[in-house]
Amino acid sequence: MTNSLIEAVRMRARALFAPARFSQFAGVGFVGATVDIVVLAALSSVTSLVWFVAKLISWELGITVIFVINERWTFASHGDGGTRAVSRRFLRSNVVRLGGLAVTLAVLRVLVERFDVWLVLANVIGIGVGFFVNYTCESLYTWKVHRE
């Protein structure tokens, strides 16, 4: 590897391992996960929606809450202001979180359909696994923290 590639990897690693930002992201993720879990539990118990559709609805509500809090707190010093820049970050965040959703859905499917785990518990486990995908991609792609 060239020195510039090594330095680029180091910059990104330092940005990812910032303890304060990681803690904030985890706290915000907890709030968003709570929204996701409560909405999923409500939708699955009071509607006839299949779990997959209920999960998509709860997921979008949760990530919208997460984005708003991250935009104003966790990553407040990153990225340009203005409606257009924030809208672009929101779209990037949704795209990035599709990776986390894919991980969560894979975990959900395996746990619910193969091992008959309760949907809400399987969702919590899936969210935990998807968290690391989301943190890495949100930090480096959505808010580009390595460009400090």
Side-chain angles (χ1 to χ4, degrees):
M1 287 197 292
T2 66
N3 283 341
S4 60
L5 178 59
I6 292 169
E7 186 53 35
V9 170
R10 283 185 183 147
M11 275 180 21
R12 284 161 177 78
R14 278 192 300 272
L16 284 175
F17 296 118
R21 185 174 27 251
F22 183 83
S23 297
Q24 287 175 302
F25 191 87
V28 172
F30 180 78
V31 171
T34 301
V35 169
D36 183 322
I37 292 162
V38 168
V39 170
L40 179 63
L43 288 175
S44 66
S45 65
V46 299
T47 71
S48 59
L49 292 173
V50 296
W51 70 264
F52 182 80
V53 174
K55 175 57 185 173
L56 290 177
I57 294 167
S58 69
W59 171 76
E60 185 59 39
L61 287 172
I63 66 164
T64 299
V65 168
I66 288 169
F67 177 81
V68 169
I69 298 170
N70 275 331
E71 178 71 20
R72 299 196 178 264
W73 185 45
T74 311
F75 300 103
S77 63
H78 300 280
D80 296 331
T83 305
R84 214 173 133 121
V86 172
S87 296
R88 277 194 311 269
R89 279 194 298 278
F90 181 69
L91 288 174
R92 276 197 312 256
S93 180
N94 268 267
V95 169
V96 161
R97 288 188 178 266
L98 281 173
L101 176 63
V103 169
T104 301
L105 289 175
V107 170
L108 270 173
R109 183 170 186 195
V110 168
L111 293 178
V112 170
E113 294 180 3
R114 285 201 164 180
F115 297 103
D116 200 30
V117 174
W118 178 44
L119 177 62
V120 176
L121 177 60
N123 189 48
V124 170
I125 295 167
I127 288 169
V129 174
F131 169 82
F132 293 100
V133 171
N134 290 333
Y135 177 69
T136 301
C137 295
E138 288 280 40
S139 295
L140 298 178
Y141 179 68
T142 303
W143 281 281
K144 302 179 186 211
V145 297
H146 56 286
R147 293 184 178 173
E148 292 182 321

